[in-house]
């Protein structure tokens, strides 16, 4: 994204400070913080859980209100693929059981607009108004002749006979619709439970995002987590992220701390010693290991640095490459072990070899924003090398 914005000439330099990033749940948390302070007199030091229920994913972050209108992150952001679109998937699964999988597949391939229209009508007339109250529920008649007539040609055998007997109309009753919601909402409840398990003083749960408008989702969450003092949905939950992002842009000092979701380190050469794996010994008698600089779960302040001084491995070494790796584990030993991912590389030139290995370089990783700044300062020349990497390797805090 930074590269695209630079190529579009919206910023003058690639590492411009005028371009900053935030995550969706963090932006929503900033927006909700203002409401909690103004409308509920939310006390300093208390924490709240932000649940961003979108179409594809649900993302969660737990924040603590600090002095000076600042927010601190106190748990790792988590998320899952359990947004409102997965209720649609359950609906499609239900239809497949009636018409057959092949009929749905052929409808999607050959008449996608009709397939989409059927799903959209389900969303408009069933999903968005479902409250979970059986007494107020009205059975919905799904008429294939009206919504997707092309599907008739793909239905065979007993399924076709049954639908012809029903004039191509099926009923979506309360229990059928509830069964479409329940597996998705159960995942959301599990995500919330995991966050609250790590927090002792959560005073509020804030639901934002389009799916948070679901009355049934709200009811289930309020029922399961009735011990939380406040379970709130803003007036317009769909715009909470955008509003919070604007507030963050106006004052980025709002965010005081974040929690690292990975452990970070660099690939470093050591002399191979007895006890090290023989198969890892190079021809020159070296071994490459993961030298850890920062640990997953650490609460870091904005722009906090983790530094280490390195010297050349040999007297004549003129180029040094700092290869940065990350892992979801709290520690690591080798850069090719399971779970390690290559983040990027910072290369520096050190052509003056007259000092031998006495050419120290201060290498630093600076965290706190949505990007990581890697900096190397050559103490013999005072030259500064710098590059930037994105903080998140995976989508939406969603896989975590």
């Amino acid at each position: 994204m930074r590269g695209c914005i630079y190529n579009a000439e919206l910023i003058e330099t690639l590492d411009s400070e005028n371009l900053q990033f935030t995550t969706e749940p963090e932006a929503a948390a900033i927006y909700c913080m203002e409401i909690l302070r103004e409308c509920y007199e939310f006390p300093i030091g208390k924490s709240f859980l932000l649940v961003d229920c979108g179409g594809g994913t649900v993302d969660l972050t737990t924040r603590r209100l600090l002095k000076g209108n600042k927010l601190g992150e106190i748990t790792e952001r988590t998320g899952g693929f359990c947004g409102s679109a997965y209720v649609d998937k359950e609906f499609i699964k239900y239809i497949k059981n009636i018409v057959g999988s092949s009929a749905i597949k052929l409808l999607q391939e050959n008449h996608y607009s009709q397939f989409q229209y059927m799903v959209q009508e389900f969303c408009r007339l069933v999903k968005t108004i479902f409250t979970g109250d059986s007494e107020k529920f009205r059975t919905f008649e799904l008429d294939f002749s009206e919504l997707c007539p092309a599907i008739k040609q793909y239905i065979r055998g007993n399924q076709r006979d049954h639908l012809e007997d029903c004039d191509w109309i099926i009923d979506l009753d309360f229990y059928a619709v509830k069964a479409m919601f329940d597996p998705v909402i159960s995942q959301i409840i599990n995500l919330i439970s995991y966050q609250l398990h790590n927090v002792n003083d959560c005073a509020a749960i804030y639901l934002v995002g389009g799916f948070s408008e679901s009355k049934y989702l709200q009811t289930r969450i309020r029922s399961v987590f009735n011990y939380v003092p406040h379970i709130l949905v803003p007036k317009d939950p769909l715009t909470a992220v955008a509003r919070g992002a604007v507030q963050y842009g106006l004052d980025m000092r709002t965010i005081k701390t974040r929690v690292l979701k990975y452990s970070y380190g660099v690939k470093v050469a050591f002399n191979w010693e007895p006890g090290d794996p023989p198969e890892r010994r190079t021809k020159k008698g070296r071994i490459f290991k993961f030298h850890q600089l920062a640990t997953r779960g650490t609460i870091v302040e904005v722009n906090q640095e983790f530094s280490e001084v390195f010297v050349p491995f040999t007297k004549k070494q003129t180029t040094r490459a700092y290869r940065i790796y990350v892992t979801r584990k709290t520690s690591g030993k080798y850069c090719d072990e399971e779970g390690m991912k290559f983040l990027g590389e910072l290369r520096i030139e050190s052509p003056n070899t007259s000092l031998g290995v006495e050419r120290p370089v201060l290498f630093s990783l600076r965290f706190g924003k949505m990007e990581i700044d890697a900096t190397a300062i050559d103490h013999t020349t005072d030259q500064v090398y710098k590059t930037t990497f994105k903080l998140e390797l995976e989508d939406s805090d969603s896989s975590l």
Side-chain angles (χ1 to χ4, degrees), residues 178-233:
K178 182 175 181 294
M180 297 173 194
F181 275 85
D182 283 345
V184 181
I185 292 178
S186 293
Q187 290 186 58
I188 297 173
I189 288 173
N190 288 338
L191 288 170
I192 295 174
S193 297
Y194 178 80
Q195 281 280 332
L196 294 182
H197 177 73
N198 298 307
V199 180
N200 297 322
D201 61 345
C202 184
I205 295 176
Y206 228 117
L207 306 178
V208 300
F211 194 23
S212 71
E213 294 179 300
S214 166
K215 298 299 182 183
Y216 183 45
L217 174 61
Q218 295 174 19
T219 298
R220 288 285 306 277
I221 290 176
R222 287 191 171 107
S223 174
V224 175
F225 305 103
N226 55 16
Y227 55 88
V228 178
H230 301 287
I231 298 180
L232 310 168
V233 183

Side-chain angles (χ1 to χ4, degrees), residues 105-364:
K105 181 181 179 182
L106 290 168
L107 180 69
Q108 287 180 287
E109 291 176 352
N110 302 318
H111 305 276
Y112 189 71
S113 61
Q114 290 190 24
F115 171 79
Q116 280 291 88
Y117 180 63
M118 177 179 66
V119 175
Q120 289 168 1
E121 287 298 279
F122 162 75
C123 294
R124 184 175 70 90
L125 300 173
V126 182
K127 186 177 78 171
T128 57
I129 62 176
F130 184 71
T131 64
D133 187 341
S134 59
E135 294 182 359
K136 296 181 179 179
F137 181 84
R138 297 178 62 181
T139 298
F140 174 72
E141 290 187 347
L142 191 154
D143 189 339
F144 287 111
S145 298
E146 181 181 333
L147 296 181
C148 50
I151 199 173
K152 295 181 180 180
Q153 62 188 299
Y154 304 125
I155 303 173
R156 301 285 185 268
N158 293 334
Q159 292 165 325
R160 184 179 184 86
D161 294 339
H162 172 71
L163 287 169
E164 286 179 340
D165 291 341
C166 299
D167 294 327
W168 297 98
I169 296 174
I170 63 172
D171 290 337
L172 296 182
D173 62 22
F174 171 80
Y175 295 103
V177 176
K178 182 175 181 294
M180 297 173 194
F181 275 85
D182 283 345
V184 181
I185 292 178
S186 293
Q187 290 186 58
I188 297 173
I189 288 173
N190 288 338
L191 288 170
I192 295 174
S193 297
Y194 178 80
Q195 281 280 332
L196 294 182
H197 177 73
N198 298 307
V199 180
N200 297 322
D201 61 345
C202 184
I205 295 176
Y206 228 117
L207 306 178
V208 300
F211 194 23
S212 71
E213 294 179 300
S214 166
K215 298 299 182 183
Y216 183 45
L217 174 61
Q218 295 174 19
T219 298
R220 288 285 306 277
I221 290 176
R222 287 191 171 107
S223 174
V224 175
F225 305 103
N226 55 16
Y227 55 88
V228 178
H230 301 287
I231 298 180
L232 310 168
V233 183
K235 185 176 181 180
D236 189 3
L238 198 59
T239 65
V241 170
R243 291 171 183 268
V246 171
Q247 289 174 254
Y248 176 73
L250 293 172
D251 185 5
M252 287 178 287
R253 294 172 298 176
T254 303
I255 301 300
K256 183 173 177 60
T257 62
R258 292 188 176 99
V259 177
L260 296 184
K261 295 176 65 178
Y262 301 90
S263 295
Y264 297 80
V266 291
K267 188 176 184 178
V268 176
F270 297 89
N271 286 317
W272 186 91
E273 296 180 355
D276 288 331
E279 67 276 10
R280 290 187 176 275
R281 180 172 181 169
T282 68
K283 293 180 179 180
K284 296 183 178 180
R286 302 173 188 171
I287 183 170
F288 291 93
K289 295 183 179 181
F290 177 71
H291 185 81
Q292 191 159 319
L293 294 175
T295 303
R296 174 186 176 180
T298 301
I299 298 176
V300 297
E301 295 194 359
V302 173
N303 293 330
Q304 183 172 341
E305 290 189 353
F306 294 79
S307 304
E308 189 83 32
V309 175
F310 296 99
V311 296
F313 193 80
T314 63
K315 295 180 180 180
K316 295 183 179 181
Q317 185 177 351
T318 58
T319 300
R320 283 181 262 181
Y322 296 94
R323 296 177 62 83
I324 305 164
Y325 287 83
V326 301
T327 176
R328 292 281 293 161
K329 300 176 182 178
T330 55
S331 63
K333 197 167 185 179
Y334 302 106
C335 295
D336 58 355
E337 64 189 21
E338 185 179 358
M340 282 284 179
K341 293 185 178 181
F342 175 64
L343 182 63
E345 180 180 89
L346 177 62
R347 300 178 69 89
I348 73 168
E349 299 297 327
S350 184
N352 184 2
T353 60
S354 61
L355 297 176
V357 297
E358 296 302 321
R359 291 173 287 151
V361 168
L362 178 66
F363 179 81
S364 303

Side-chain angles (χ1 to χ4, degrees), residues 46-87:
K46 287 291 185 180
S47 63
F48 66 95
L49 171 60
L50 191 289
V51 186
D52 182 7
C53 306
T57 63
V58 173
D59 301 300
L60 302 89
T61 180
T62 304
R63 303 280 168 155
R64 191 182 305 282
L65 184 60
L66 306 174
K67 292 180 179 180
N69 294 334
K70 295 183 183 296
L71 286 176
E73 188 174 35
I74 59 176
T75 63
E76 285 188 27
R77 298 179 300 283
T78 55
F81 294 100
C82 45
S84 64
Y86 288 85
V87 178

